[in-house]
Amino acid sequence: LAKYGAAYLMTSIPLAIVSFAICYALVDNGVDVASLLAKVGIQSSDTADKAGTFAIAYAAHKAASPIRFPPTVILTPVVAKLIGKEPQPDVEDA
């Protein structure tokens, strides 16, 4: 965040919104999101089965965070370049 600032936020927030929307649509349409996440090695909590659509979708969205991380890392420098924001150099404390 310190290196790319707004470019990181402009990348991660839309990805998170899309991720949650997809999870919500899947849960709302009866898809077993927990089993889909288990297929890629991500375990969701057992309490999600007793919660409402929003809570299940949110839990699935949070569990899928490792899936969102690589695209965020890859796209942040691209977004920074598009908005003309150069990354800040690392500042070392003396």
Side-chain angles (χ1 to χ4, degrees), residues 16-38:
I17 291 169
V18 168
S19 169
F20 179 77
I22 289 170
C23 289
Y24 188 89
L26 291 173
V27 171
D28 196 43
N29 287 303
V31 175
D32 186 5
V33 178
S35 68
L36 290 176
L37 290 173

Side-chain angles (χ1 to χ4, degrees), residues 12-90:
S12 65
I13 292 173
L15 286 175
I17 291 169
V18 168
S19 169
F20 179 77
I22 289 170
C23 289
Y24 188 89
L26 291 173
V27 171
D28 196 43
N29 287 303
V31 175
D32 186 5
V33 178
S35 68
L36 290 176
L37 290 173
K39 288 182 182 182
V40 294
I42 301 172
Q43 297 297 324
S44 62
S45 68
D46 294 332
T47 58
D49 295 335
K50 300 173 187 165
T53 302
F54 184 88
I56 295 169
Y58 183 74
H61 161 74
K62 294 308 278 182
S65 182
I67 297 170
R68 288 190 313 275
F69 185 70
T72 302
V73 170
I74 293 168
L75 292 174
T76 298
V78 175
V79 170
K81 189 173 184 179
L82 286 173
I83 65 171
K85 179 128 174 103
E86 292 296 321
Q88 297 298 317
D90 292 335

